[in-house]
Amino acid sequence: DAGITQSPRHKVTETGTPVTLRCHQTENHRYMYWYRQDPGHGLRLIHYSYGVKDTDKGEVSDGYSVSRSKTEDFLLTLESATSSQTSVYFCAISDRAGAQGYTFGSGTRLTVV
Amino acid sequence: AQSVSQHNHHVILSEAASLELGCNYSYGGTVNLFWYVQYPGQHLQLLLKYFSGDPLVKGIKGFEAEFIKSKFSFNLRKPSVQWSDTAEYFCAVPNQGGKLIFGQGTELSVKP
């Protein structure tokens, strides 16, 4: 699915450092989402956006912040990375509020040491 | 609040065996239902979806799912699995706010 890209694909960082993950879409979709995937937990919603500068928290938002200054970009920031934030992070987009399903990016594997 | 349960965490089958993966959701109103597949090392891809109408939904790669409203279920089936079906499968349903919530996932291993 070329319409959504995540960067970086892999990152190793140290505890306490800030980290920013980027999601870029070319589909002009209104809704964007950040999920984390962990074994035994499936995917859990971190934050989502329903338009430029319009964001809200998901179920596991503590320690994360987001920004969306342009339709095509949705940034996820770990303000001070902890080992519990080691995970695979997926960005998703939709043109309606989830009712039609999402398109996912390829993911970012983040390791906090 | 809406929730989704997948009761099978890891399923191991031989090629040509039949597959059925369970999915149950909690909210009883009008629902849209989805199955996603994640092949090893890849992102989630939509396998099939149900919005309304015929409760038997056909998706890609020979998969199908049946929506049974009275049982709050949306089980995924395939008559004959292949080694290439080895993947993790996720059931998903929108919550009242329209955001997808996912089950814990079922890992399927198909032995050649």
Side-chain angles (χ1 to χ4, degrees):
Chain A
D1 295 294
I4 177 172
T5 56
Q6 291 184 234
S7 58
R9 293 294 311 274
H10 302 272
K11 185 170 182 66
V12 179
T13 192
E14 293 186 348
T15 299
T17 61
V19 177
T20 296
L21 309 182
R22 181 182 184 232
C23 178
H24 178 78
Q25 59 141 334
T26 58
E27 304 296 321
N28 200 35
H29 284 180
R30 177 181 176 187
Y31 299 92
M32 299 185 75
Y33 310 84
W34 278 107
Y35 284 85
R36 60 177 290 174
Q37 183 181 24
D38 304 288
H41 292 278
L43 280 83
R44 293 178 292 175
L45 182 65
I46 305 171
H47 281 281
Y48 63 97
S49 170
Y50 42 94
V52 174
K53 297 186 179 179
D54 289 325
T55 64
D56 207 345
K57 297 179 179 180
E59 63 177 307
V60 290
S61 60
D62 286 349
Y64 302 95
S65 62
V66 289
S67 66
R68 191 168 178 200
S69 58
K70 298 184 291 185
T71 298
E72 56 266 35
D73 289 324
F74 192 33
L75 304 180
L76 176 71
T77 297
L78 288 65
E79 293 141 6
S80 177
T82 67
S83 59
S84 64
Q85 294 175 311
T86 292
S87 186
V88 181
Y89 292 85
F90 286 99
C91 177
I93 61 174
S94 69
D95 57 355
R96 299 184 189 183
Q100 303 293 320
Y102 299 166
T103 300
F104 282 86
S106 298
T108 295
R109 182 173 295 276
L110 176 68
T111 303
V112 182
V113 297
Chain B
Q2 181 68 278
S3 64
V4 180
S5 296
Q6 293 180 242
H7 306 294
N8 314 105
H9 298 297
H10 192 187
V11 173
I12 302 173
L13 295 173
S14 298
E15 276 194 317
S18 63
L19 170 71
E20 181 162 3
L21 302 182
C23 173
N24 289 92
Y25 60 94
S26 60
Y27 179 64
T30 301
V31 290
N32 300 331
L33 297 158
F34 305 86
W35 275 98
Y36 282 84
V37 60
Q38 184 179 31
Y39 297 104
Q42 296 189 25
H43 62 285
L44 277 76
Q45 303 170 44
L46 184 64
L47 199 54
L48 49 78
K49 58 188 177 184
Y50 170 79
F51 291 157
S52 63
D54 189 342
L56 185 61
V57 180
K58 295 193 182 298
I60 61 172
K61 303 185 180 185
F63 286 90
E64 64 181 31
E66 185 175 13
F67 169 55
I68 303 179
K69 187 174 183 179
S70 61
K71 295 185 178 181
F72 297 87
S73 70
F74 189 55
N75 291 356
L76 181 70
R77 302 196 293 244
K78 186 172 184 178
S80 176
V81 295
Q82 301 172 317
W83 176 80
S84 58
D85 293 324
T86 294
E88 191 159 17
Y89 294 81
F90 294 92
C91 182
V93 58
N95 64 11
Q96 287 88 331
K99 294 171 285 297
L100 283 187
I101 57 172
F102 290 83
Q104 304 93 319
T106 297
E107 184 179 350
L108 172 65
S109 300
V110 180
K111 299 183 293 184

